[in-house]
Amino acid sequence: MIETLRMPFFVLALVLLAFAVSFEIGLGLIWPALVPPLGGQLPDVSPGFGVPYLAAIDLILVYATAAIALSFLWPALAGRVQAAIGILLALTGGLLVLALILAAFAALMLMLTLLLAVPFGTLAYFAAFADFPTAKAAAALAAIMAFKLGFAICLILAHQRFLKMKILMLVIVSSLALTWLTALLHALVPGFLAAITDALAALITSVLALVWIAVLFIGNLPGLVRAIRSLLTARPAT
């Protein structure tokens, strides 16, 4: 397949995916976390969780695409190390995503509790979360969606056999669907409730990312077992 792979399109696909992930992670660093400080005071500005959390699913897509690139360029090396790297990344990523799930759930419960605790809790909710930056989030999601669509198109243009890779295609569809769902949840409710649906979108994204990490872990187990067996059989007898 490497002989017929159109490298300019493949490289452009990787660049576009890197732009999308960098954008998501960058927004996560700019917007404050949806967790109150240790002193118990509420944050002063409306946070955004849904957009940065998309990086959880897109980093899985980065791994899948990088694994394909490695198998194209260095097939012998890929066969030896891919399973071990996949297991290690799945274990590490699973713990990180689990922490993200707990943070998003805690934030969602905090906002719902405040909103329903009339009157003082509701006033605190409006003071802290009612000014969610819906317009900025919509612009960010539009740019991220454009990057992801460009990635998918360039990947198919690089080689049509990518369409037959079911796992890769399903991860791409999941990434696009979650981006669209996040934008939809922002737009479905009045602006003062957008922070709640944003946390809900983040929770859905992180849960689905955890499912894909579990699939990655299970899928790499046979390769790891084969690699261990080959090392044991290759060891000279004493």
Side-chain angles (χ1 to χ4, degrees), residues 34 49-50 104-105 107-108 111 186 194-204:
L34 243 173
F49 251 104
F105 181 77
L108 182 61
M111 288 186 291
H186 287 169
I196 293 177
T197 56
D198 178 77
L200 178 61
L203 186 60
I204 295 172

Side-chain angles (χ1 to χ4, degrees), residues 10-26 55 58-59 61-63 65-66 143-144 146-152:
F10 189 70
V11 172
L12 182 57
L14 294 178
V15 170
L16 290 172
L17 181 58
F19 281 162
V21 175
S22 300
F23 207 45
E24 292 160 355
I25 295 175
D58 290 334
L59 287 174
L61 185 55
V62 168
Y63 165 78
T65 308
I144 291 169
F147 287 139
K148 292 181 180 181
L149 288 174
F151 159 76

Side-chain angles (χ1 to χ4, degrees), residues 99-180:
L100 292 179
I101 291 174
L102 294 176
F105 181 77
L108 182 61
M109 291 300 101
L110 170 66
M111 288 186 291
L112 288 175
T113 301
L114 288 176
L115 182 64
L116 298 176
V118 180
F120 299 109
T122 305
L123 292 175
Y125 170 85
F126 272 84
F129 301 111
D131 58 342
F132 182 84
T134 307
K136 292 182 180 179
L141 288 167
I144 291 169
M145 180 65 84
F147 287 139
K148 292 181 180 181
L149 288 174
F151 159 76
I153 293 171
C154 289
L155 195 65
I156 295 171
L157 290 176
H159 203 293
Q160 285 69 40
R161 283 184 58 186
F162 283 117
L163 291 170
K164 298 180 181 180
M165 299 179 180
K166 295 180 180 179
I167 297 297
L168 178 62
M169 289 296 108
L170 286 174
V171 177
I172 292 175
V173 170
S174 298
S175 176
L176 292 172
L178 289 170
T179 306
W180 172 82

